[in-house]
């Protein structure tokens, strides 16, 4: 398999040449705001399933992500002083660590896990409050348990957490979570780890039409075009893990996802042409061509 690093270097040089040396993801006009936090990257990347911490760091760097999610129940970020810590390769001084409750099946477990995360990540008198809540309902599908999710969200918001919440693609549930005070709703595109892409764009569009907080697609993205579609629809961001970690070349896929998210966001801001069954006008001017009337 060809080493991805020279390919990434060539791509970076092309980007710099076509954007005057500026990174597209660093557009100061287009800021991604979540709660009290502001970011230039709209790609959120998970840190599980990689070969080792070195590959994790390489993929995160290639993705341009500023927010990295960490499964507190599965990853050491200080709970075990005798084991390597993810924070050694992804320091909080450079990345926003987003602890999540992957593996939790009750509101009680999820709340306890995020209280622990806040304790582990708070330092220098700074209280870490930005978290990702997910309460699962089934170990086979990893579909969210929405009653338990709502209960956990209410408790966490009351305790001062800024909650980004994994949820079903039900617009009513999304509205309830927003009314509780969640800072972002994160509907699944399809089942976690499935790579099936956005299976129900109509429901996602209904959520987007009503939401006043960021809508971040979470789960089901398989490749860069899936990420681009989500962004073209108007999503504020995309979160993924398996799509990158399970790729044949995770680092190269991370770079592809970065470009997919950026292209989708740019297309959304530009505004696509209307779809028409037939076009009444040619794409090229008809006047002044050979054989046309003077």
């Amino acid at each position: 398999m060809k080493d991805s690093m020279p390919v990434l270097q060539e791509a970076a040089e092309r980007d710099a040449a076509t954007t005057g040396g500026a990174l597209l993801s660093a557009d100061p006009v287009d800021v991604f705001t979540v709660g009290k936090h502001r970011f230039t990257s709209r790609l959120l990347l998970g840190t599980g399933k990689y070969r080792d911490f070195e590959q994790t760091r390489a993929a995160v760097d290639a993705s341009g992500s500023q927010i990295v999610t960490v499964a507190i129940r599965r990853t050491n970020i200080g709970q075990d002083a005798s084991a390597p810590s993810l924070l050694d390769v992804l320091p909080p001084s450079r990345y926003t660590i987003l602890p999540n409750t992957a593996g939790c099946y009750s509101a009680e477990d999820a709340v306890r896990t995020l209280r622990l995360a806040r304790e582990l990540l708070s330092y220098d008198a700074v209280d870490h409050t930005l978290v990702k809540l997910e309460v699962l309902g089934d170990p086979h599908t990893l579909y969210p348990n929405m009653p338990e999710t709502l209960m956990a969200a209410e408790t966490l918001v009351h305790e001062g957490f800024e909650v980004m919440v994994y949820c079903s693609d039900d617009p009513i549930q999304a509205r309830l979570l927003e009314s509780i005070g969640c800072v972002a709703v994160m509907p699944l595109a399809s089942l976690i780890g499935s790579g099936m892409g956005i299976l129900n764009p109509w429901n996602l569009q209904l959520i987007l039409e009503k939401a006043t907080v960021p809508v971040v697609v979470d789960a089901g993205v398989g490749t860069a075009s899936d990420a681009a579609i989500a962004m073209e629809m108007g999503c504020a961001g995309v979160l993924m893990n398996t799509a990158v970690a399970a790729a044949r070349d995770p680092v190269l896929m991370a770079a592809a996802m970065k470009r997919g998210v950026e292209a989708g966001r740019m297309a959304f801001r530009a505004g696509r042409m209307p779809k028409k069954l037939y076009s009444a006008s040619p794409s090229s001017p008809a006047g002044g061509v050979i054989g046309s009337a003077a």
Side-chain angles (χ1 to χ4, degrees):
M1 180 175 63
K2 184 179 179 181
D3 182 9
S4 63
M5 298 313 296
V7 177
L8 295 180
Q9 181 63 35
E10 292 170 9
E13 291 172 356
R14 286 197 301 271
D15 281 354
T18 56
T19 60
L23 292 176
L24 296 175
S25 59
D27 181 353
V29 176
D30 190 34
V31 176
F32 176 35
T33 302
V34 183
K36 302 188 294 283
H37 311 271
R38 292 159 63 85
F39 306 96
T40 52
S41 172
R42 293 174 178 271
L43 172 57
L44 294 71
L45 197 63
T47 54
K49 305 182 181 180
Y50 293 94
R51 181 182 65 235
D52 50 34
F53 281 170
E54 182 180 355
Q55 188 182 68
T56 304
R57 172 63 183 266
V60 171
D61 284 347
S63 75
S65 296
Q66 296 166 312
I67 306 175
V68 292
T69 69
V70 177
I72 298 300
R73 293 165 67 96
R74 300 168 180 163
T75 306
N76 181 38
I77 60 168
Q79 306 97 306
D80 183 356
S82 65
S85 170
L86 180 67
L87 302 187
D88 292 336
V89 294
L90 297 175
S93 59
R94 178 172 176 182
Y95 304 94
T96 294
I97 307 298
L98 185 67
N100 70 51
T101 56
C104 291
Y105 289 85
S106 71
E108 182 181 2
D109 281 350
V111 170
R112 184 188 306 114
T113 298
L114 291 177
R115 285 171 179 162
L116 171 63
R118 179 166 60 182
E119 182 177 336
L120 289 169
L121 291 169
S122 296
Y123 60 96
D124 296 336
V126 176
D127 194 15
H128 189 100
T129 58
L130 187 65
V131 296
K132 182 200 168 188
L133 170 66
E134 57 181 82
V135 184
L136 305 177
D138 176 74
H140 179 62
T141 64
L142 304 182
Y143 203 81
N145 182 325
M146 291 311 300
E148 293 289 315
T149 297
L150 288 162
M151 284 193 289
E154 194 161 9
T155 298
L156 291 165
V157 169
H158 180 72
E159 294 184 6
F161 285 91
E162 298 172 277
V163 181
M164 302 176 70
V165 55
Y166 168 64
C167 59
S168 63
D169 61 354
D170 181 338
I172 305 304
Q173 299 294 321
R175 197 180 312 163
L176 287 171
L177 290 165
E178 184 177 342
S179 69
I180 286 171
C182 295
V183 297
V185 293
M186 308 178 74
L188 76 172
S190 50
L191 297 182
I192 290 176
S194 70
M196 294 293 290
I198 300 173
L199 295 184
N200 195 342
W202 299 276
N203 273 26
L204 182 56
Q205 192 63 59
L206 289 172
I207 294 172
L208 286 164
E209 287 175 3
K210 297 294 184 181
T212 60
V213 298
V215 176
V216 178
V217 159
D218 183 10
V221 168
T223 190
S225 58
D226 298 331
I229 289 169
M231 299 305 296
E232 287 172 0
M233 291 181 67
C235 291
V238 180
L239 188 150
M240 65 187 70
N241 186 178
T242 309
V244 173
R248 187 170 63 248
D249 185 333
V251 178
L252 190 57
M253 181 59 82
M257 291 298 189
K258 174 180 183 290
R259 287 156 177 77
V261 168
E262 290 173 343
R265 180 64 181 177
M266 292 172 71
F268 172 74
R269 293 176 65 196
R272 67 159 292 145
M273 63 166 285
K275 293 182 179 180
K276 294 182 285 187
L277 184 59
Y278 298 102
S279 174
S281 59
S283 58
S284 301
V289 299
I290 295 175
S292 63

